[in-house]
């Protein structure tokens, strides 16, 4: 194909996806993960240890496992923990035992998504790991220290892989283009590299999209190709690090009175499909924890926001969420109520049962000594409401917003 951009000169008609077709076959071809490679090279590659490769999607876990298996000269079998359980795995283990008896060679069994195994399934692996019936290679996107049990962790080596850098991805794209004999504008390659969040598989899938649409790209500029054919890899999760990191940045931006940053993080969550009611609930908590009586209206606004988003859903829910976010970010801040209840609960937890003063009890002869505040000017009169032995002061009033008005009112009625 001839076009002004020189976009593609494709000779291969192989239909195999590039991510599989261009998988590195040696450590020399493997790009990135310097610290992981250094750790691997300190091992005896001809007699590898049980190893779990962990890291984000598309960072090279499976590729690296296959390269090491190939270099070891051992037999290799693959198993996916999503598709099968212990029963199916035992078939592979029996085959590995048969092969060792017949040929003298051990087998590496690669278990992808190993974190999917529950505790009993993990326990079933232990006898085989102990006597090295086979060599376990595993891959997981989860933290193995929290998803694998201690007995397995004590028998394996952990290899941590990180998200690939933009430079790493760019090299992979360039190498793939060269190996497959097609040209690609530099700005398109750089866009893919910078928008795939370190995921090489995603980057190569983007190249596949361009290959599949090569006939439609003849008269398009690079900007049109980027806009109309390429995706951005939105990395997000519902219950793991990214989920908690973004909501943390959102809350801290509001607490820090930065509406610009708060709206940005709100947009990140909404674009990623975050549960809008989860966001609204967090705003309710923040309204009391970080604003409190400096602006009591904040709590009213957030509870109304929660009701609104639960009724209307997305995409309209973004509007009340944005309104509440900006209001909270710009409101005066006070955590005095939050700190007061924490200190009071800590006191109660660490002291004997606190007796109610007799004049405050519901049924007691001394209850006649209770003074009714509404019978006095300003509806207040001095009276003891805490036990005499409790001298701690739990509440320290803020000095801005409506809380300052409340503080001044308390001073006035006590004159």
């Amino acid at each position: 194909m001839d076009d002004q951009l020189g976009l593609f000169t494709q000779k291969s008609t192989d239909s195999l996806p590039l991510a599989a077709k261009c998988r590195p076959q040696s450590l020399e071809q493997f790009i990135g993960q310097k610290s992981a490679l250094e750790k691997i090279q300190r091992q005896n590659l001809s007699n590898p240890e049980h190893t779990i490769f962990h890291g984000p999607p598309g960072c090279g876990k499976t590729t690296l496992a296959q390269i090491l298996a190939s270099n070891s000269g051992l037999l290799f079998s693959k198993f996916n923990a999503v598709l099968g359980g212990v029963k199916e795995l035992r078939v592979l283990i029996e085959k590995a035992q048969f092969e060792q008896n017949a040929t003298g060679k051990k087998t590496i069994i690669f278990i992808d998504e190993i974190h999917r195994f529950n505790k009993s399934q993990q326990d079933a692996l232990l006898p085989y790991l102990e006597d090295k019936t086979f060599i376990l290679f595993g891959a997981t996107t989860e933290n193995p220290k929290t998803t694998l049990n201690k007995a397995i962790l004590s028998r394996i080596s952990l290899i941590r892989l990180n998200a690939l850098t933009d430079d790493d991805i760019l090299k992979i794209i360039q190498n793939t283009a060269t190996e497959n004999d097609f040209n690609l504008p530099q700005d398109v390659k750089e866009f893919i590299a910078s928008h795939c969040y370190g995921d090489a598989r995603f980057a190569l899938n983007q190249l596949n999209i361009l290959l599949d649409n090569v006939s439609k790209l003849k008269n398009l500029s690079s900007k049109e190709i980027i806009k109309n054919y390429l995706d951005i890899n939105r990395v997000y999760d519902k219950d793991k690090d990214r989920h908690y990191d973004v909501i943390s940045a959102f809350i801290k931006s509001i607490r820090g009175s930065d509406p610009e940053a708060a709206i940005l993080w709100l947009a990140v969550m909404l674009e990623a499909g975050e549960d809008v009611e989860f966001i609204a609930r967090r705003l309710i908590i923040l309204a009391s924890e970080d604003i409190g009586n400096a602006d009591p209206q904040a709590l009213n606004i957030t509870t109304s926001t929660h009701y609104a988003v639960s009724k209307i859903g997305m995409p309209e829910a973004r509007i009340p969420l944005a309104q509440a976010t900006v209001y909270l970010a710009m409101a005066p801040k006070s955590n005095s109520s939050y700190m007061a209840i924490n200190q009071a609960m800590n006191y109660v937890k660490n002291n004997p049962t606190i007796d109610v003063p007799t004049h405050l009890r519901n049924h007691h002869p001394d209850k006649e000594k209770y003074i009714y505040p509404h019978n006095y000017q300003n509806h207040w009169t001095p009276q003891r409401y805490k036990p005499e032995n409790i001298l701690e002061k739990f509440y320290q009033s803020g000095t801005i917003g409506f809380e300052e008005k409340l503080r001044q009112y308390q001073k006035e009625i006590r004159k």
Side-chain angles (χ1 to χ4, degrees), residues 6-298:
L7 184 64
F8 290 109
T9 307
Q10 186 189 8
K11 293 183 179 179
S12 173
T13 58
D14 193 342
S15 61
L16 194 66
L18 290 174
K21 179 182 175 184
C22 299
R23 191 185 295 276
Q25 302 300 311
S26 67
L27 290 176
E28 291 71 28
Q29 294 174 337
F30 193 87
I31 293 173
Q33 309 299 351
K34 181 179 178 182
S35 61
L37 292 176
E38 288 175 347
K39 185 173 182 178
I40 287 167
Q41 288 167 348
R42 290 195 291 268
Q43 298 181 9
N44 181 357
L45 298 183
S46 62
N47 184 25
E49 305 171 17
H50 299 305
T51 304
I52 301 294
F53 303 87
H54 63 106
C59 65
K61 301 182 293 295
T62 301
T63 297
L64 195 53
Q66 290 182 345
I67 290 173
L68 295 182
S70 176
N71 286 350
S72 71
L74 303 181
L75 303 174
F76 186 73
S77 292
K78 290 181 69 173
F79 180 82
N80 192 303
V82 175
L83 303 177
V86 173
K87 181 180 178 181
E88 293 81 5
L89 182 58
R90 281 200 175 113
V91 174
L92 288 182
I93 294 172
E94 289 171 3
K95 182 181 177 183
Q97 290 172 318
F98 174 81
E99 293 288 354
Q100 184 172 9
N101 293 334
T103 67
K105 281 189 176 183
K106 281 188 180 294
T107 298
I108 294 173
I109 297 181
F110 176 74
I111 304 178
D112 201 7
E113 306 285 351
I114 192 170
H115 63 275
R116 300 279 188 162
F117 275 177
N118 60 34
K119 185 179 184 302
S120 62
Q121 290 172 317
Q122 292 179 34
D123 287 341
L125 292 173
L126 295 177
Y128 305 111
L129 299 183
E130 191 66 35
D131 63 13
K132 275 200 164 183
T133 302
F134 66 93
I135 305 299
L136 170 66
F137 277 7
T140 175
T141 55
E142 308 297 314
N143 183 349
K145 292 183 179 179
T146 59
T147 56
L148 300 181
N149 64 43
K150 292 181 180 179
I152 284 187
L153 290 173
S154 69
R155 292 165 170 82
I156 62 173
S157 174
L158 294 177
I159 302 291
R160 166 72 185 177
L161 282 75
N162 299 308
L164 294 166
T165 67
D166 290 356
D167 287 343
D168 292 334
I169 297 291
L170 189 57
K171 288 177 185 176
I172 291 170
I173 293 171
Q174 291 169 335
N175 290 349
T176 302
T178 300
E179 291 168 9
N180 289 272
D181 198 20
F182 59 80
N183 298 316
L184 190 63
Q186 186 66 21
D187 53 352
V188 174
K189 290 189 285 188
E190 290 174 354
F191 177 86
I192 296 172
S194 62
H195 287 80
C196 64
Y197 209 79
D199 185 336
R201 185 186 300 107
F202 182 88
L204 295 179
N205 287 344
Q206 295 297 289
L207 294 188
N208 265 126
I209 291 171
L210 298 182
L211 286 172
D212 292 342
N213 291 277
V214 64
S215 62
K216 302 176 184 178
L217 306 178
K218 182 174 181 180
N219 298 313
L220 297 182
S221 67
S222 293
K223 288 184 179 179
E224 289 171 321
I225 294 168
I226 290 170
K227 180 180 178 181
N228 297 319
Y229 288 91
L230 298 178
D231 296 324
I232 296 175
N233 188 9
R234 301 293 187 196
V235 175
Y236 205 81
D237 50 59
K238 295 295 184 182
D239 57 358
K240 301 179 182 68
D241 287 348
R242 177 71 172 167
H243 163 81
Y244 291 110
D245 287 345
V246 175
I247 193 66
S248 175
F250 176 62
I251 295 301
K252 287 170 181 171
S253 298
I254 297 175
R255 182 182 295 140
S257 299
D258 189 335
E260 292 289 338
I263 282 289
L264 170 65
W265 293 119
L266 175 62
V268 169
M269 290 188 288
L270 295 177
E271 178 68 18
E274 181 60 86
D275 178 3
V276 291
E277 290 194 52
F278 164 74
I279 300 172
R281 289 193 298 270
R282 292 303 299 265
L283 290 176
I284 293 172
I285 297 168
L286 183 143
S288 281
E289 178 180 342
D290 294 300
I291 296 173
N293 290 325
D295 185 354
Q297 186 66 11

Side-chain angles (χ1 to χ4, degrees), residues 232-393:
I232 296 175
N233 188 9
R234 301 293 187 196
V235 175
Y236 205 81
D237 50 59
K238 295 295 184 182
D239 57 358
K240 301 179 182 68
D241 287 348
R242 177 71 172 167
H243 163 81
Y244 291 110
D245 287 345
V246 175
I247 193 66
S248 175
F250 176 62
I251 295 301
K252 287 170 181 171
S253 298
I254 297 175
R255 182 182 295 140
S257 299
D258 189 335
E260 292 289 338
I263 282 289
L264 170 65
W265 293 119
L266 175 62
V268 169
M269 290 188 288
L270 295 177
E271 178 68 18
E274 181 60 86
D275 178 3
V276 291
E277 290 194 52
F278 164 74
I279 300 172
R281 289 193 298 270
R282 292 303 299 265
L283 290 176
I284 293 172
I285 297 168
L286 183 143
S288 281
E289 178 180 342
D290 294 300
I291 296 173
N293 290 325
D295 185 354
Q297 186 66 11
L299 186 57
N300 294 333
I301 286 176
T302 53
T303 52
S304 296
T305 298
H306 182 266
Y307 176 83
V309 301
S310 69
K311 293 298 181 183
I312 63 177
M314 283 293 284
E316 288 82 3
R318 76 191 189 282
I319 304 169
L321 282 172
Q323 178 187 352
T325 295
V326 170
Y327 186 93
L328 298 185
M330 298 184 72
K333 305 297 189 295
S334 171
N335 71 341
S336 58
S337 300
Y338 171 71
M339 297 300 294
I341 189 58
N342 287 349
Q343 291 180 41
M345 290 184 72
N346 185 62
Y347 180 89
V348 170
K349 180 180 178 180
N350 292 288
N351 285 278
T353 300
I354 299 172
D355 290 328
V356 177
T358 56
H359 67 289
L360 299 179
R361 295 183 189 180
N362 188 34
H363 296 291
H364 193 278
D366 283 351
K367 73 174 184 177
E368 301 300 329
K369 296 179 181 179
Y370 170 66
I371 304 172
Y372 191 56
H374 293 297
N375 291 336
Y376 296 85
Q377 185 179 4
N378 295 322
H379 302 264
W380 182 86
T381 187
Q383 184 166 216
R384 178 171 57 86
Y385 293 99
K386 287 194 307 184
E388 292 180 341
N389 63 318
I390 298 180
L391 304 178
E392 282 78 0
K393 188 174 182 182

